[in-house]
PDB file of all heavy atoms in Angstrom:
ATOM      1  N   GLN A  42     -43.701  65.825  95.610  1.00 66.00           N
ATOM      2  CA  GLN A  42     -44.119  65.607  96.991  1.00 66.00           C
ATOM      3  C   GLN A  42     -43.054  64.985  97.878  1.00 66.00           C
ATOM      4  O   GLN A  42     -43.250  64.854  99.068  1.00 66.00           O
ATOM      5  CB  GLN A  42     -45.378  64.746  96.972  1.00 66.00           C
ATOM      6  CG  GLN A  42     -46.520  65.408  96.237  1.00 66.00           C
ATOM      7  CD  GLN A  42     -47.684  64.475  96.038  1.00 66.00           C
ATOM      8  OE1 GLN A  42     -47.748  63.405  96.632  1.00 66.00           O
ATOM      9  NE2 GLN A  42     -48.631  64.884  95.221  1.00 66.00           N
ATOM     10  N   THR A  43     -41.936  64.559  97.299  1.00 70.00           N
ATOM     11  CA  THR A  43     -40.876  63.928  98.084  1.00 70.00           C
ATOM     12  C   THR A  43     -39.515  64.434  97.643  1.00 70.00           C
ATOM     13  O   THR A  43     -39.357  65.005  96.564  1.00 70.00           O
ATOM     14  CB  THR A  43     -40.897  62.395  97.908  1.00 70.00           C
ATOM     15  OG1 THR A  43     -40.676  62.095  96.527  1.00 70.00           O
ATOM     16  CG2 THR A  43     -42.203  61.797  98.369  1.00 70.00           C
ATOM     17  N   GLU A  44     -38.540  64.253  98.507  1.00 77.00           N
ATOM     18  CA  GLU A  44     -37.177  64.595  98.142  1.00 77.00           C
ATOM     19  C   GLU A  44     -36.553  63.442  97.367  1.00 77.00           C
ATOM     20  O   GLU A  44     -36.734  62.288  97.734  1.00 77.00           O
ATOM     21  CB  GLU A  44     -36.358  64.868  99.396  1.00 77.00           C
ATOM     22  CG  GLU A  44     -36.782  66.140 100.108  1.00 77.00           C
ATOM     23  CD  GLU A  44     -35.875  66.458 101.285  1.00 77.00           C
ATOM     24  OE1 GLU A  44     -34.688  66.051 101.264  1.00 77.00           O
ATOM     25  OE2 GLU A  44     -36.357  67.102 102.208  1.00 77.00           O
ATOM     26  N   ASN A  45     -35.865  63.756  96.308  1.00 79.00           N
ATOM     27  CA  ASN A  45     -35.245  62.747  95.474  1.00 79.00           C
ATOM     28  C   ASN A  45     -33.817  63.152  95.118  1.00 79.00           C
ATOM     29  O   ASN A  45     -33.490  64.333  95.130  1.00 79.00           O
ATOM     30  CB  ASN A  45     -36.029  62.537  94.177  1.00 79.00           C
ATOM     31  CG  ASN A  45     -37.359  61.886  94.415  1.00 79.00           C
ATOM     32  OD1 ASN A  45     -37.434  60.691  94.614  1.00 79.00           O
ATOM     33  ND2 ASN A  45     -38.426  62.684  94.433  1.00 79.00           N
ATOM     34  N   THR A  46     -33.029  62.172  94.755  1.00 86.00           N
ATOM     35  CA  THR A  46     -31.683  62.399  94.274  1.00 86.00           C
ATOM     36  C   THR A  46     -31.519  61.651  92.974  1.00 86.00           C
ATOM     37  O   THR A  46     -31.970  60.508  92.850  1.00 86.00           O
ATOM     38  CB  THR A  46     -30.643  61.879  95.297  1.00 86.00           C
ATOM     39  OG1 THR A  46     -30.825  62.564  96.526  1.00 86.00           O
ATOM     40  CG2 THR A  46     -29.228  62.104  94.800  1.00 86.00           C
ATOM     41  N   LEU A  47     -30.894  62.297  92.000  1.00 90.00           N
ATOM     42  CA  LEU A  47     -30.595  61.647  90.749  1.00 90.00           C
ATOM     43  C   LEU A  47     -29.088  61.439  90.659  1.00 90.00           C
ATOM     44  O   LEU A  47     -28.321  62.385  90.763  1.00 90.00           O
ATOM     45  CB  LEU A  47     -31.056  62.514  89.568  1.00 90.00           C
ATOM     46  CG  LEU A  47     -30.679  62.004  88.170  1.00 90.00           C
ATOM     47  CD1 LEU A  47     -31.338  60.644  87.901  1.00 90.00           C
ATOM     48  CD2 LEU A  47     -31.060  63.006  87.117  1.00 90.00           C
ATOM     49  N   ALA A  48     -28.694  60.191  90.495  1.00 96.00           N
ATOM     50  CA  ALA A  48     -27.273  59.859  90.299  1.00 96.00           C
ATOM     51  C   ALA A  48     -27.115  59.344  88.883  1.00 96.00           C
ATOM     52  O   ALA A  48     -27.960  58.608  88.373  1.00 96.00           O
ATOM     53  CB  ALA A  48     -26.836  58.795  91.299  1.00 96.00           C
ATOM     54  N   VAL A  49     -26.036  59.750  88.243  1.00 97.00           N
ATOM     55  CA  VAL A  49     -25.718  59.275  86.907  1.00 97.00           C
ATOM     56  C   VAL A  49     -24.442  58.452  87.012  1.00 97.00           C
ATOM     57  O   VAL A  49     -23.424  58.937  87.469  1.00 97.00           O
ATOM     58  CB  VAL A  49     -25.552  60.452  85.915  1.00 97.00           C
ATOM     59  CG1 VAL A  49     -25.193  59.944  84.545  1.00 97.00           C
ATOM     60  CG2 VAL A  49     -26.822  61.292  85.878  1.00 97.00           C
ATOM     61  N   LEU A  50     -24.540  57.194  86.618  1.00 97.00           N
ATOM     62  CA  LEU A  50     -23.411  56.255  86.733  1.00 97.00           C
ATOM     63  C   LEU A  50     -22.924  55.879  85.343  1.00 97.00           C
ATOM     64  O   LEU A  50     -23.695  55.421  84.509  1.00 97.00           O
ATOM     65  CB  LEU A  50     -23.858  54.994  87.465  1.00 97.00           C
ATOM     66  CG  LEU A  50     -24.539  55.207  88.810  1.00 97.00           C
ATOM     67  CD1 LEU A  50     -25.072  53.904  89.347  1.00 97.00           C
ATOM     68  CD2 LEU A  50     -23.574  55.831  89.796  1.00 97.00           C
TER      69      LEU A  50
END
Side-chain angles (χ1 to χ4, degrees):
Q42 299 171 11
T43 61
E44 291 185 27
N45 291 282
T46 301
L47 174 63
V49 179
L50 308 173

